[in-house]
Amino acid sequence: MQKIDQILKALAKEAIGEKWGIQLEEELIQVQKTRKDFTGDFTVVTFSLLRYSKLSPEETGTILGAYMQEHSIMVAGFNVIKGFLNLEISQQYWKEFLDGELKAEAYGTLNADKDSPLVMIEFSSPNTNKPLHLGHVRNNLLGHSVARILKASGNRVQKVNLVNDRGIHICKSMLAWKKEGNGANPESTGQKGDHLVGDYYVRFDQLYKAEVAALVDRGKSKQDAEAGATVLEEAREMLRLWEADDVEVRALWETMNSWVYKGFEETYRRMGISFDKTYYESNTYKLGRELVVRGVEEGVLYKKEDGSIWANLEDEGLDHKLLLRSDGTSVYMTQDVGTAHQRFEESGFDSHIYVVGNEQNYHFQVLTIVLKKLGYEWADRLFHLSYGMVELPEGKMKSREGTVVDADDLMDEMEATARQMSEELGKLENFSEEDKTRIFRQVGMGALKYFILKVDPKKNMIFDPRESVDFNGNTGPFIQYTYARIRSVCRKGKEIEKCTSAEALNEKEIALVHMMYEYPEILREASRALNPSLVANFLYELAKEFNQFYHDHSILSADSPGQVCQRLLLVEATGNIIESGMDLLGIEVPERM
RNA sequence: GCCCCCGUAGCUCAGUGGAUAGAGCAUUGGAUUCCUAAUCCAUGUGCGCAAGUUCGAUUCUUGCCGGGGGUACCA
């Protein structure tokens, strides 16, 4: 089925040729969705055509409209207001759409095959010294949703995680545990592993601060105290031992990391996200060194007298960037050069997306430039999906000040709120505890996911816990509730035979059909822009449109059996799109709530 | 200092080179003999400022103001 705007453009082009003898490129003809307050479905903007018609906007629109109505059964009527030619699409066309394309399995989505583009997407990328918090939640939800959207748009997608499991921060947790843990572990304490380890990370910071304060009291300068604290020196020593493969340190490291992974796994499972492959920085941190050294040999990078290696980025308007320390160890950039190389060698990806916060915009800008310098033609296939920070109403989250929002706590709270809401409203009273728990989980998680994904990724957002547990209005539960009502109607109407639509569509019905018609377009745009918020906001508009229809018109008690059936088609199609769209956001939809 | 992002209603967010810039929350009031009222309807206020490009700018460009981030031999 050809898209309506394409047909209209071709028709308008024909009219222009016929009336004014000009052969115009179709791209020069503006066709847009008619704004809500005006009659019509699609609008041709005439202003750019005036130079050809040499007539007023109104006259131009009227001539075009008359021609288009006369020459196509698709155009049922038109009006011209201030140079905007509003076209009404015939009921016939909408009905064909309703009976055909809209009924198709997985309407709007494309399937990938062997030859489809391969997209690699890295997200989550946690540190193993503390549990996941709200910032990670945004990262994870974005990564997961973008991966789904890309897949539904006909790409092969590979989701990867890069765990930062080495470095001084992990040693800090290990050291504090060694000093004060007394052998505590997740089994003995009943605490989730990532939280347990996170607590020792915090404990280290307390020890460190106490020692610095003590040193300052004894007359040391703050700077000397901070640099010379023995706990920090011990942590550094531990890192040295780790790098030297010290058996004891490595064993502790592996034990504590395994606690953390178990905890992460639980959090990921609860969030409904997964990866096709997980990389560990302890395995990859040496990658890239060789490539950088080769870059020096090829003359695209340079070495200072102290042995450190640098890239000169002045041609790109940037500074010089360190790629290898004077002691020969790698920096973050070196590692990313290595992993990008490795992943391309492994997969030959067509594009690679990094879901990383916007504080690393500079890093990824430099990464692309350095890879180009090293001669990788695929450097331009890397894309940094840069998202804004999540802030609390009282300001930034700071782990030191205890103002972080923990991911697990947050999920608990959302589910508890879903339960409370439901009980207050007296819903689900005769459901089993098992069913209730499942539904509250779906609703609570739906609220959280939608709250975060409806915001444009690149913008910073404010997370207000009070607002997040409001399940009315532009929220996940609003859309889920709409879906539950749809399913309820469908269950009751299912004895009615399948039919084709024959009855006249009313205004609300056309509005609904028109919105659903736009769904594939929205998906394509979301995929192109890597922006789930487009899907989220579309679903909200769709649900709202449906609720108005539902409120104004009876479905099961419509005027005639034919109308009942036609409305059921419409209702079912709406439900399918909500389900499919919510799935792209990683949100489940309940049959009842 | 330099670089990047953001600035839309009291708050949280949509949106667009085009018509009278929208939603939710909050406020106030209304709707349920009927498909789930977690619904629907009504109710005021706003594109940071200034110039430019354009038939037309909230949208594009430049400058300024405000907020955030970056500019580490940290990751």
Side-chain angles (χ1 to χ4, degrees):
Chain A
M1 207 175 191
Q2 212 183 345
K3 297 307 271 183
I4 296 178
D5 57 338
Q6 284 310 314
I7 297 171
L8 293 179
K9 278 183 187 179
L11 198 56
K13 177 189 165 167
E14 189 185 309
I16 292 162
E18 193 71 25
K19 295 290 177 188
W20 301 302
I22 308 285
Q23 290 308 311
L24 209 54
E25 291 293 318
E26 280 179 28
E27 285 66 42
L28 296 176
I29 300 167
Q30 280 185 66
V31 176
Q32 50 193 237
K33 200 177 169 185
T34 301
R35 292 185 51 150
K36 245 193 151 95
D37 340 321
F38 300 92
T39 309
D41 301 298
F42 288 86
T43 296
V44 179
V45 184
T46 65
F47 297 102
S48 57
L49 307 173
L50 303 184
R51 47 199 286 217
Y52 308 114
S53 72
K54 303 208 164 50
L55 294 168
S56 73
E58 287 74 14
E59 289 167 316
T60 306
T62 305
I63 290 170
L64 273 181
Y67 182 96
M68 291 171 81
Q69 184 173 6
E70 193 183 330
H71 289 79
S72 171
I73 51 157
M74 189 177 190
V75 180
F78 72 93
N79 63 80
V80 182
I81 296 167
K82 290 164 89 173
F84 295 91
L85 167 58
N86 301 319
L87 299 163
E88 220 173 300
I89 299 304
S90 70
Q91 294 249 337
Q92 190 52 40
Y93 184 90
W94 289 130
K95 284 178 195 163
E96 277 172 25
F97 170 66
L98 184 53
D99 284 331
E101 208 179 331
L102 196 49
K103 278 184 185 167
E105 190 81 8
Y107 165 67
T109 65
L110 302 168
N111 287 321
D113 59 33
K114 291 198 301 289
D115 302 323
S116 301
L118 176 65
V119 183
M120 193 167 261
I121 177 165
E122 178 192 302
F123 62 101
S124 201
S125 308
N127 290 348
T128 54
N129 62 326
K130 54 183 179 233
L132 302 177
H133 60 68
L134 190 48
H136 297 109
V137 172
R138 192 177 196 189
N139 182 306
N140 291 338
L141 296 180
L142 272 174
H144 183 251
S145 178
V146 167
R148 293 219 155 207
I149 289 169
L150 287 168
K151 193 169 173 227
S153 307
N155 295 286
R156 288 180 297 150
V157 178
Q158 205 174 355
K159 296 175 288 181
V160 304
N161 193 358
L162 176 61
V163 180
N164 181 0
D165 61 345
R166 64 167 283 279
I168 189 80
H169 45 285
I170 283 99
C171 292
K172 288 176 180 175
S173 297
M174 286 158 62
L175 186 67
W177 182 86
K178 234 177 134 175
K179 283 179 178 296
E180 305 197 339
N182 293 320
N185 60 59
E187 285 74 36
S188 72
T189 59
Q191 205 180 1
K192 209 159 153 276
D194 49 338
H195 289 265
L196 181 71
V197 172
D199 284 352
Y200 285 100
Y201 183 68
V202 171
R203 186 64 197 136
F204 173 89
D205 200 53
Q206 291 165 348
L207 291 172
Y208 173 66
K209 278 185 174 149
E211 190 181 344
V212 169
L215 288 171
V216 169
D217 279 350
R218 270 183 268 149
K220 279 214 174 191
S221 75
K222 192 165 187 234
Q223 206 176 351
D224 286 349
E226 281 175 353
T230 56
V231 279
L232 186 59
E233 193 39 57
E234 285 176 77
R236 288 203 193 102
E237 176 57 21
M238 203 174 230
L239 182 60
R240 277 190 285 274
L241 289 170
W242 184 90
E243 300 226 353
D245 280 327
D246 178 86
V247 175
E248 196 188 328
V249 170
R250 285 281 180 152
L252 178 59
W253 173 75
E254 276 179 19
T255 302
M256 289 181 73
N257 272 350
S258 74
W259 297 345
V260 174
Y261 296 146
K262 220 168 162 196
F264 281 175
E265 206 176 298
E266 199 180 317
T267 305
Y268 284 146
R269 196 177 334 114
R270 201 168 166 194
M271 289 177 70
I273 71 169
S274 60
F275 302 93
D276 298 307
K277 185 162 185 181
T278 299
Y279 294 84
Y280 296 90
E281 209 172 290
S282 53
N283 294 330
T284 64
Y285 78 104
K286 288 176 180 164
L287 284 169
R289 192 182 304 177
E290 203 179 310
L291 303 173
V292 167
V293 171
R294 200 188 305 160
V296 175
E297 286 162 10
E298 287 168 1
V300 294
L301 305 174
Y302 71 93
K303 194 180 230 174
K304 283 190 181 172
E305 309 83 52
D306 63 6
S308 57
I309 293 177
W310 296 75
N312 179 353
L313 309 177
E314 281 174 14
D315 287 350
E316 283 78 15
L318 303 172
D319 287 333
H320 293 233
K321 175 73 191 176
L322 176 83
L323 292 175
L324 210 58
R325 296 189 186 100
S326 48
D327 64 6
T329 58
S330 301
V331 293
Y332 182 33
M333 185 63 71
T334 325
Q335 174 192 301
D336 262 2
V337 167
T339 47
H341 173 90
Q342 182 194 16
R343 285 181 196 166
F344 184 78
E345 291 296 314
E346 280 174 6
S347 71
F349 57 72
D350 293 283
S351 62
H352 189 306
I353 297 165
Y354 295 89
V355 183
V356 180
N358 63 10
E359 72 271 12
Q360 291 193 30
N361 287 353
Y362 180 73
H363 173 81
F364 284 100
Q365 194 188 349
V366 171
L367 177 62
T368 300
I369 295 171
V370 169
L371 287 170
K372 271 193 205 165
K373 277 191 184 294
L374 292 172
Y376 295 116
E377 45 81 29
W378 45 262
D380 284 323
R381 301 190 208 172
L382 305 187
F383 187 84
H384 176 203
L385 172 46
S386 161
Y387 62 90
M389 299 194 315
V390 185
E391 289 169 23
L392 297 173
E394 54 275 18
K396 269 173 81 168
M397 289 192 291
K398 296 208 174 84
S399 33
R400 284 190 302 274
E401 292 165 23
T403 53
V404 283
V405 176
D406 177 77
D408 295 315
D409 293 348
L410 184 58
M411 291 191 281
D412 287 344
E413 199 174 319
M414 297 302 278
E415 287 175 20
T417 306
R419 176 178 292 272
Q420 189 193 335
M421 279 287 280
S422 180
E423 280 166 3
E424 274 171 21
L425 292 165
K427 308 249 177 181
L428 307 181
E429 271 163 357
N430 43 13
F431 277 62
S432 73
E433 190 53 36
E434 192 188 344
D435 285 344
K436 280 190 194 171
T437 302
R438 192 188 68 247
I439 293 168
F440 299 148
R441 182 181 58 75
Q442 289 176 334
V443 173
M445 289 304 294
L448 175 60
K449 290 179 177 183
Y450 187 87
F451 190 86
I452 287 176
L453 289 174
K454 75 175 175 185
V455 181
D456 186 336
K458 73 170 185 282
K459 291 192 177 181
N460 288 359
M461 63 174 288
I462 296 191
F463 185 88
D464 185 341
R466 274 206 322 278
E467 200 186 328
S468 71
V469 298
D470 183 350
F471 289 179
N472 303 315
N474 188 358
T475 64
F478 171 88
I479 298 169
Q480 289 172 317
Y481 177 68
T482 306
Y483 179 81
R485 289 209 300 195
I486 285 173
R487 295 304 307 150
S488 175
V489 171
C490 287
R491 280 192 300 272
K492 286 177 180 154
K494 81 165 185 266
E495 68 273 14
I496 293 163
E497 292 275 306
K498 289 281 176 197
C499 61
T500 53
S501 52
E503 306 293 322
L505 295 163
N506 66 36
E507 204 181 320
K508 287 268 182 258
E509 289 168 326
I510 289 177
L512 247 189
V513 175
H514 192 160
M515 277 209 77
M516 292 196 268
Y517 175 81
E518 304 282 342
Y519 180 58
E521 192 66 37
I522 298 287
L523 262 189
R524 263 200 295 284
E525 181 57 20
S527 159
R528 193 197 58 73
L530 306 178
N531 185 353
S533 78
L534 299 176
V535 175
N537 287 299
F538 169 81
L539 291 176
Y540 172 62
E541 296 296 331
L542 181 66
K544 226 169 29 158
E545 193 70 56
F546 178 83
N547 283 334
Q548 285 172 23
F549 165 68
Y550 180 90
H551 182 264
D552 291 352
H553 303 285
S554 178
I555 294 151
L556 299 173
S557 322
D559 295 340
S560 66
Q563 192 168 43
V564 171
C565 193
Q566 180 171 297
R567 284 187 178 166
L568 278 171
L569 280 180
L570 202 55
V571 169
E572 194 172 27
T574 308
N576 288 342
I577 290 181
I578 289 178
E579 185 181 18
S580 142
M582 289 292 258
D583 181 58
L584 297 180
L585 301 177
I587 301 175
E588 293 176 47
V589 281
E591 288 286 312
R592 297 180 172 85
M593 66 182 269

